[in-house]
């Protein structure tokens, strides 16, 4: 989070909710007009995406083999299985087809290409995910929060998508499902299932810029003749350099799962996964913005602050088991257990300061070594089904979630390596490896979350539905700092997070909705005394229109929102301990209000024409009416489309898109000890693709990203530092399906 701008800083004109609502209603009607007209003109000839049916006619959220850019249902916002139109919040589903078309390989790629969310990648191995002006900290797998702590993150942004069917993005507060309700967004990665009763799968190889290459295999099959026992295996390996000198990354993913039909109504599914990420010569901190004389730097995008011996390796292993049972009255019971374990080991070099152009002023150096282990156990039970009341069928869901996370960190203190870098202009990573002490305890912590929730959808009339829910949470966190011999505790019990939404069907295609929820979010930010800040509290409101066309093949939405927060941590610009960079900056509690709107369209617009497009605009102010959280863009455009030709060219698919965002900035102390603005101007990244089906089973695809070779940077809010984004790159992929 940034330093607050001086009071004299010009502020933007604010687009207030009433004005936004008028514009949105007009735009929503316009968005609905095109699909409705197309439906009337060519409804009989419309080619719809395949529809998956599970159970007794329930909607399936699975996107694999649908060829679609949208999904039938999602469960990230509520425990009820609702279509996107029936969900009273902004929801985006990044489908399997979009992952393939855009060559989205990691969760970082998803966030960079999804409506309403953005990335501030301030290092090679760490980044901030953002939505509606606030950080995203809710990263989930099958609805269960993962092991992810920003200061200690070590590969989460590179989490491979190979084992996932889709990524569901719910924008706004999501305390009903995520527990501590983050007001920004929740990212839920849904695992692939072993759903095939015959041998099927795919193999692909890829290669591209910076000597990157990869291979991926995915196979499903029936274990027994009856097909009641099914298995799936996924394996992936990627290796390659990057645009940054010395830096390379290797990623390995293994995933295995089985589905066993114990009876016609009962399925046991379980599995395990292993994701390993090895990063050589990663940057720890960004590049300096100023020279010692106060002039601005202009580094090559290949410039590094790392050293040849630096590394940041991590391994994430999960084991899970689920039991799904459908009763004769259509009620469903789900029991699940997940255990995740992340291990990380890093040897890093932190360079800071403002170098002299002549080499007279050195960069200071701080070597650091850390070994961490995080273990998380999650238990959950969910009971859901229909009920009859006043001659109408309604939906109910109840559940309990228990999560326990144990964190331990050890360190080796550098006995040498503090001499700095005399001439950073010519620095190429040749920095002597330090002498390290023996391994000693650094810190540990334990976090326990318990949640009891209930939700219902009341079908008051044929056109009017109300979604009501609440969660009662218990939160307990204990942290130990062995080097400073300090202990901190946070404990909250009986915290109630309500959820309310109303949906009104204007016609067969269009609905209006409104939703409200409270915000409760314990935060990891600490004050100057290295004590955690009080939990964030607040309220989140959303009002909008949603459209569903062509039997769900195309979804549209328009929304306005307002988020009010108290106790939000704001960066003071001062480090807790200048001798220990990992402790980060000191924060103070403040207020923040975010107001804005979003537009989105996803799915098949016309036969063969898939589209994902959206625009987000908001303003965020602190308690004094000043812009805050300015490291995050407040205007974001995301577009991508593909078209498959017909006739003689029906084997060819072409596509492309534009990702645009407005300027971001912060204020930092320059070499003259003055507060100076660091700003990245608005920019657009253009991405293209083409795929040709050589045979019915074999295809060749090429993706080109940042084709205009736009030079841009993200901001590391530390001593005025920045990290450049990726230049132009090209990837070629061959894929064989069987």
């Amino acid at each position: 989070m940034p330093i607050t701008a001086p009071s004299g800083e010009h502020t933007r004109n604010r687009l207030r909710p009433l004005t936004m609502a008028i514009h949105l209603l007009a735009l929503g009607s316009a968005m609905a007009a095109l699909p409705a007209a197309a439906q009337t003109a060519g409804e009989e000839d419309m080619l719809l995406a395949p529809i998956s049916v599970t159970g007794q006619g329930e909607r399936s959220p699975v996107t694999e083999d649908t060829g679609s850019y949208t999904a039938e249902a999602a469960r990230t916002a509520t425990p009820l299985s609702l279509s996107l139109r029936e969900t009273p919040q902004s929801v985006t589903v990044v489908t399997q087809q979009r992952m393939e078309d855009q060559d989205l390989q990691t969760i970082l790629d998803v966030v960079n290409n999804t409506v309403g969310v953005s990335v501030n990648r301030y290092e090679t191995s760490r980044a901030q995910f953002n939505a509606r002006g606030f950080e995203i900290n809710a990263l989930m797998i099958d609805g269960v929060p993962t092991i992810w702590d920003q200061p200690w993150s070590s590969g989460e942004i590179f989490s491979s998508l190979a084992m996932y069917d889709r990524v569901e993005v719910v924008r706004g507060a999501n305390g009903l499902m995520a527990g501590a309700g983050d007001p920004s967004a929740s990212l839920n990665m849904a695992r692939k299932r072993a759903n095939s009763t015959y041998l099927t799968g795919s193999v692909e190889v890829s290669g591209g810029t910076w000597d990157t290459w990869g291979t991926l295999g995915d196979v499903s099959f029936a274990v027994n003749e009856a097909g009641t026992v099914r298995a799936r295996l996924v394996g992936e390996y990627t290796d390659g350099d990057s645009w940054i000198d010395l830096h390379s990354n290797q990623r390995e993913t293994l995933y295995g799962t089985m589905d066993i039909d114990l009876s016609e109504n009962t399925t046991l599914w379980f599995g395990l996964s292993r994701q390993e990420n090895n990063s050589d010569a990663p940057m720890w901190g960004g590049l300096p913005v100023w020279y010692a004389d106060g002039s601005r730097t202009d580094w090559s995008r290949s410039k590094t602050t790392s050293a040849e011996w630096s590394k940041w390796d991590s391994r994430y292993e999960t084991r899970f088991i689920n039991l799904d049972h459908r009763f004769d009255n259509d009620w469903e019971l789900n029991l699940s257990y997940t255990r995740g374990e992340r291990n990380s080991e890093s040897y890093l070099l932190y360079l800071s300061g403002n170098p002299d152009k002549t080499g007279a002023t050195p960069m200071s150096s701080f070597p650091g070594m850390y070994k961490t282990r995080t273990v998380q156990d999650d238990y959950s039970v969910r009971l859901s089904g229909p009920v009859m009341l006043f001659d109408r069928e309604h939906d109910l869901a109840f559940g309990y979630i228990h999560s326990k996370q144990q964190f331990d960190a050890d360190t080796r203190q550098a006995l040498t390596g503090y001499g700095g870098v005399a001439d950073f202009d010519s620095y190429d990573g040749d920095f002597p490896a330090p002498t390290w002490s023996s391994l000693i305890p650094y810190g540990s912590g334990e976090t326990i979350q318990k949640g009891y929730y209930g939700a219902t959808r009341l079908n008051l009339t044929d056109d009017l539905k109300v979604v009501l829910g609440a969660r009662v949470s218990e939160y307990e966190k204990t942290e130990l700092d062995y080097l400073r011999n300090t202990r901190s505790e946070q404990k909250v019990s009986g915290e109630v997070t309500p959820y309310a939404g109303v949906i009104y069907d204007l016609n067969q295609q269009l609905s209006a909705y409104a939703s409200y929820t409270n915000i409760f979010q314990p935060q990891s930010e600490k004050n100057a005394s290295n004590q955690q800040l009080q939990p964030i509290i607040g309220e989140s409101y959303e009002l909008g229109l949603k459209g569903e066309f062509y039997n769900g093949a195309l979804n549209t939405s328009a929304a306005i929102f307002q988020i009010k927060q108290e106790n939000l941590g704001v960066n003071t610009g001062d480090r807790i301990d200048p001798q220990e960079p990992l402790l980060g900056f000191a924060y103070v509690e403040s207020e923040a209000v975010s107001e804005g709107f979003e537009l989105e369209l996803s799915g098949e617009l016309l036969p063969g024409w898939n589209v994902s497009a959206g625009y987000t605009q908001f303003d965020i102010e602190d308690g004094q009416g000043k812009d805050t959280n300015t490291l995050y863009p407040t205007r974001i455009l995301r577009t991508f489309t593909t078209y498959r030709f017909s006739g003689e060219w029906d084997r060819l698919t072409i596509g492309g898109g534009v990702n645009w965002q407005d300027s971001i900035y912060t204020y930092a102390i320059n070499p003259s000890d003055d507060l100076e603005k660091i700003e990245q101007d608005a920019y657009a990244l253009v991405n293209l693709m083409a795929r040709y089906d050589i045979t019915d089973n074999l295809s060749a695809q090429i993706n080109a990203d940042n084709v205009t070779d736009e030079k841009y940077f993200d901001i590391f809010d530390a001593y005025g530092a920045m990290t450049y984004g990726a230049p132009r790159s090209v990837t070629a992929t061959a894929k064989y399906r069987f």
Side-chain angles (χ1 to χ4, degrees):
M1 298 178 194
I3 301 170
T4 303
S7 58
E9 178 71 14
H10 176 71
T11 58
R12 308 181 182 90
N13 293 327
R14 303 292 191 254
L15 188 58
R16 293 302 173 190
L18 180 60
T19 306
M20 290 188 287
I22 295 172
H23 283 80
L24 284 172
L25 288 172
L27 288 168
S29 300
M31 293 169 67
L34 177 60
Q39 186 178 31
T40 302
E43 185 173 6
E44 295 181 357
D45 298 327
M46 178 59 64
L47 301 177
L48 303 180
I51 298 175
S52 302
V53 179
T54 61
Q56 300 180 15
E58 72 176 76
R59 299 181 185 88
S60 172
V62 177
T63 68
E64 190 174 23
D65 297 326
T66 66
S68 178
Y69 274 24
T70 190
E72 291 183 30
R75 230 174 188 152
T76 304
T78 75
L80 307 166
S81 182
L82 305 177
S83 69
L84 302 190
R85 180 184 172 188
E86 295 169 332
T87 304
Q89 274 187 265
S90 297
V91 182
T92 299
V93 179
V94 182
T95 65
Q96 190 71 201
Q97 190 63 54
R98 270 196 64 193
M99 294 180 192
E100 179 177 341
D101 290 349
Q102 293 189 253
D103 191 32
L104 307 180
Q105 298 187 16
T106 66
I107 190 64
L108 180 70
D109 296 334
V110 167
V111 178
N112 270 322
N113 290 275
T114 300
V115 174
V117 294
S118 62
V119 174
N120 181 34
R121 186 173 177 179
Y122 54 84
E123 291 174 345
T124 53
S125 298
R126 294 188 294 179
Q128 292 172 327
F129 298 164
N130 320 295
R132 299 183 174 180
F134 304 102
E135 289 186 22
I136 300 173
N137 291 304
L139 183 61
M140 302 183 290
I141 299 177
D142 285 333
V144 178
T146 66
I147 299 168
W148 191 28
D149 191 355
Q150 286 279 15
W152 293 98
S153 63
S154 53
E156 289 87 347
I157 65 172
F158 299 114
S159 292
S160 171
L161 301 178
M163 55 187 280
Y164 301 110
D165 169 72
R166 65 196 178 278
V167 179
E168 299 173 354
V169 182
V170 176
R171 293 180 293 282
N174 191 27
L176 187 61
M177 297 303 297
D182 197 293
S184 52
S186 298
L187 309 176
N188 181 37
M189 299 179 289
R191 294 185 181 96
K192 293 176 177 178
R193 296 283 298 271
N195 50 15
S196 179
T197 58
Y198 56 91
L199 179 64
T200 184
S202 63
V203 177
E204 65 180 74
V205 293
S206 63
T209 310
W210 310 303
D211 295 326
T212 58
W213 66 276
T215 182
L216 171 64
D218 185 346
V219 59
S220 299
F221 54 93
V223 178
N224 63 348
E225 187 174 348
T228 57
V229 181
R230 301 171 300 279
R232 186 166 192 164
L233 299 173
V234 178
E236 178 197 44
Y237 182 82
T238 64
D239 191 358
D241 297 330
S242 82
W243 64 97
I244 299 173
D245 289 342
L246 305 177
H247 181 52
S248 64
N249 209 74
Q250 304 83 42
R251 188 178 70 245
E252 179 182 300
T253 300
L254 296 172
Y255 170 64
T257 184
M258 293 187 71
D259 277 46
I260 303 176
D261 297 334
L262 303 179
S263 70
E264 184 178 351
N265 296 325
T266 307
T267 299
L268 178 72
W269 66 288
F270 57 90
L272 53 85
S273 65
R274 175 189 171 101
Q275 296 190 45
E276 187 168 338
N277 188 83
N278 297 319
S279 181
D280 294 329
M283 290 175 60
W284 193 32
L287 296 166
V289 172
W290 298 287
Y291 282 110
D293 61 4
S295 62
R296 291 294 182 97
T297 60
D298 185 18
W299 307 108
S300 166
R301 284 177 286 189
S302 62
K303 186 68 173 177
T304 186
T305 60
S306 186
E308 296 176 341
W309 47 265
S310 296
K311 68 174 186 176
W312 201 333
D313 300 339
S314 65
R315 183 178 70 254
Y316 186 31
E317 298 177 331
T318 64
R319 294 174 287 279
F320 64 92
I321 184 169
N322 294 264
L323 181 70
D324 298 322
H325 177 75
R326 180 185 289 271
F327 298 93
D328 292 338
N329 61 358
D330 286 340
W331 273 70
E332 295 181 351
L333 174 67
N334 172 266
L335 304 173
S336 70
Y337 166 72
T338 302
R339 179 179 178 86
E341 181 177 334
R342 183 181 298 279
N343 291 275
S344 171
E345 186 173 18
S346 58
Y347 291 84
L348 305 169
L349 178 65
Y350 189 89
L351 298 181
S352 62
N354 304 114
D356 192 277
K357 294 179 180 179
T358 64
T361 302
M363 293 274 284
S364 58
S365 59
F366 179 89
M369 183 275 169
Y370 304 94
K371 187 175 183 179
T372 65
R373 180 175 183 263
T374 307
V375 178
Q376 181 167 320
D377 293 281
D378 298 280
Y379 310 83
S380 72
V381 56
R382 185 184 71 244
L383 187 65
S384 60
V387 295
M388 294 297 299
L389 185 65
F390 302 117
D391 296 325
R392 286 187 173 275
E393 186 176 276
H394 313 275
D395 301 295
L396 278 175
F398 305 93
Y400 170 74
I401 298 177
H402 182 281
S403 176
K404 180 180 179 180
Q405 184 183 114
Q406 180 67 45
F407 170 79
D408 293 284
D410 297 322
T411 185
R412 298 181 190 273
Q413 295 183 332
L415 305 178
T416 60
Y418 300 96
V421 174
D423 185 5
F424 184 69
D425 271 20
S426 61
Y427 179 71
D428 60 0
D430 186 13
F431 190 96
T435 301
W436 303 98
S437 72
S438 59
L439 202 64
I440 58 176
Y442 185 88
S444 65
E446 183 179 84
T447 303
I448 299 175
Q449 289 197 72
K450 302 177 184 178
Y452 306 84
Y453 65 82
T456 181
R457 179 176 64 170
L458 302 174
N459 299 307
L460 302 183
T461 70
D462 290 344
D463 299 325
L464 181 62
K465 286 87 173 174
V466 173
V467 178
L468 299 173
R471 180 186 182 108
V472 180
S473 299
E474 297 180 10
Y475 181 91
E476 185 176 349
K477 185 172 184 177
T478 303
E479 288 188 310
L480 299 175
D481 187 330
Y482 295 112
L483 295 184
R484 293 161 182 83
N485 195 28
T486 60
R487 175 188 176 95
S488 61
E489 292 184 352
Q490 237 182 338
K491 188 173 183 180
V492 180
S493 61
E495 183 69 30
V496 179
T497 304
Y499 183 96
V502 59
I503 306 99
Y504 183 75
D505 294 337
L506 302 174
N507 53 44
Q508 293 184 345
Q509 289 83 33
L510 198 64
S511 301
Y513 75 91
S515 63
Y516 164 84
T517 186
N518 277 0
I519 296 166
F520 168 71
Q521 176 64 40
Q523 48 188 334
S524 59
E525 284 77 12
K526 298 180 179 180
N527 58 26
S529 300
N530 200 29
Q531 298 298 309
Q532 283 184 322
L533 302 183
Q534 292 296 310
I536 298 170
I537 58 175
E539 298 175 316
S540 178
Y541 304 86
E542 187 168 318
L543 175 69
L545 296 170
K546 288 192 176 185
E548 185 180 80
F549 308 94
Y550 314 143
N551 292 332
L554 178 69
N555 283 276
T556 64
S557 67
I560 60 175
F561 58 85
Q562 184 185 70
I563 301 170
K564 297 180 179 179
Q565 285 193 322
E566 297 179 9
N567 302 334
L568 177 66
V570 175
N571 197 330
T572 64
D574 298 322
R575 288 192 170 273
I576 297 174
D577 185 350
Q579 302 302 316
E580 183 54 77
L582 196 66
L583 289 178
F585 290 90
Y587 285 75
V588 295
E589 295 171 357
S590 182
E591 299 177 354
V593 178
S594 174
E595 295 179 338
F597 68 89
E598 290 179 338
L599 303 170
E600 184 175 12
L601 181 149
S602 61
E604 192 173 40
L605 192 60
L606 292 172
W609 183 11
N610 277 329
V611 175
S612 174
Y615 177 75
T616 301
Q617 178 173 321
F618 63 88
D619 292 295
I620 180 169
E621 297 177 343
D622 64 14
Q624 287 74 47
K626 301 174 182 177
D627 291 343
T628 187
N629 290 4
T630 55
L631 284 176
Y632 315 149
T634 59
R635 280 70 172 150
I636 306 171
L637 176 68
R638 299 278 191 257
T639 67
F640 194 83
T641 183
T642 62
Y643 181 75
R644 179 161 185 162
F645 291 85
S646 57
E648 296 181 357
W649 293 93
D650 63 349
R651 292 183 177 274
L652 177 64
T653 301
I654 61 172
V658 176
N659 292 330
W660 175 90
Q661 67 176 54
D662 68 341
S663 62
I664 59 173
Y665 67 92
T666 189
Y667 287 83
I669 302 296
N670 64 22
S672 300
D673 286 332
D674 296 323
L675 204 61
E676 186 175 337
K677 189 177 186 179
I678 303 172
E679 184 173 14
Q680 166 62 56
D681 293 333
Y683 65 90
L685 303 180
V686 180
N687 307 312
L688 301 175
M689 68 82 61
R691 178 171 59 248
Y692 188 79
D693 295 330
I694 302 171
T695 69
D696 291 342
N697 302 97
L698 179 64
S699 64
Q701 178 172 317
I702 187 167
N703 290 82
D705 294 333
N706 190 8
V707 295
T708 61
D709 202 29
E710 183 78 18
K711 186 176 182 180
Y712 64 98
F713 60 83
D714 289 332
I715 300 172
F716 186 23
D717 204 11
Y719 300 118
M722 59 185 177
T723 299
Y724 288 108
R728 181 190 301 113
S729 64
V730 178
T731 302
T733 305
K735 186 170 186 176
Y736 181 79
R737 294 180 172 86
F738 57 89

